[in-house]
Amino acid sequence: AFYADFGNPDDLVQALEHGFVYRGQRSAFRKRPHGTPTDGLVPRQFVMCLQNHDQVGNRPTGERLATLVPREALPPLATLLLLGPGLPLLFMGEEQGETRPFLYFTSHTDPDLARAVSEGRRGEFISEAKEVPDPQAEKTFQDSRLARGGDEALREHYRSMLAMRRRHLPVIASTWPRVRREGRAFRLERPGLTVTVNLGPEAALGLPGWGWEVSPR
């Protein structure tokens, strides 16, 4: 239900320019004002991510980002994360395009607690069409382990963007970008660094679908 507060592309503009999307405006999910102003704060004081263990593990069947978006979307998303504001958090396996799920798993030894967790997990998603894996089952844990190998081309893209981040770290850490949006494409402008990513299949901001561009390199 908390996803209802997000989904408009302009929300991403707010996050990129200010760190938080909600800085005191009303939240539909919470039915009250939410968040605090970020005036005076700098990008290095924020942690940004594309996915994390809470978002993935709390989905009914633990789908990672790589199974929810086209493969072509992963390089521009990585570019946005690694050259955008904030300290980037990489969720394990993200850099290799991991598609195995990260399920909610537990190993409680107290039988009453174990039963309560299993029943609670099923009850939380009672309306979902898919069967929810039992968090206490060994298979749930085994199914969540990373696959060997992965997408080497994507891994190399992460390496390249991290190297570029190191070169431009002073401005990335201290300066919020000015963001221009066209459709699902976003251009982040900071002194000496312009990053453009297209997070959609249609051409926008001079880029093809799923394209990305950094200047200077």
Side-chain angles (χ1 to χ4, degrees):
F2 62 85
Y3 287 150
D5 272 345
F6 304 93
N8 187 320
D10 285 331
D11 292 339
L12 184 52
V13 174
Q14 293 300 310
L16 292 169
E17 289 189 334
H18 303 285
F20 294 154
V21 175
Y22 284 85
R23 303 184 307 283
Q25 64 269 49
R26 181 175 175 78
S27 155
F29 170 62
R30 293 175 173 84
K31 298 181 173 55
R32 58 174 170 78
H34 178 62
T36 57
T38 58
D39 300 338
L41 301 179
V42 292
R44 65 174 175 270
Q45 295 174 278
F46 291 78
V47 175
M48 303 289 192
C49 66
L50 301 177
Q51 55 188 327
N52 60 48
H53 75 282
D54 279 325
Q55 291 175 332
V56 178
N58 284 319
R59 294 178 65 84
T61 51
E63 304 97 326
R64 293 171 178 268
L65 184 64
T67 67
L68 298 172
V69 303
R71 164 62 180 78
E72 295 80 8
L74 298 180
L77 282 166
T79 301
L80 181 64
L81 174 66
L82 298 177
L83 299 182
L87 177 67
L89 180 155
L90 304 185
F91 182 52
M92 56 181 188
E94 174 181 319
E95 76 289 347
Q96 66 179 31
E98 183 62 65
T99 57
R100 297 191 72 180
F102 181 77
L103 299 163
Y104 182 87
F105 56 83
T106 55
S107 57
H108 299 302
T109 56
D110 182 316
D112 291 334
L113 177 58
R115 183 171 59 256
V117 168
S118 295
E119 291 175 353
R121 183 70 176 167
R122 286 194 299 271
E124 182 179 1
F125 298 106
I126 194 72
S127 62
E128 298 287 340
K130 297 178 180 178
E131 181 179 350
V132 180
D134 180 359
Q136 281 287 122
E138 174 73 14
K139 184 177 186 301
T140 303
F141 167 70
Q142 294 296 340
D143 287 347
S144 301
R145 302 186 69 171
L146 296 178
R148 294 183 180 275
D151 188 331
E152 180 57 34
L154 181 62
R155 191 181 291 111
E156 184 56 38
H157 181 72
Y158 270 83
R159 291 192 188 103
S160 175
M161 292 301 103
L162 284 167
M164 201 173 297
R165 176 185 173 82
R166 285 192 289 272
R167 289 198 292 273
H168 296 283
L169 187 57
V171 69
I172 289 175
S174 63
T175 307
W176 292 106
R178 183 169 63 87
V179 180
R180 177 188 171 193
R181 180 177 77 84
E182 180 182 299
R184 295 186 183 180
F186 301 81
R187 176 167 292 144
L188 287 63
E189 297 179 339
R190 284 167 288 196
L193 178 65
T194 298
V195 178
T196 309
V197 296
N198 190 350
L199 306 183
E202 305 296 331
L205 287 180
L207 291 178
W210 314 120
W212 60 274
E213 185 176 67
V214 180
S215 178
R217 295 248 179 167

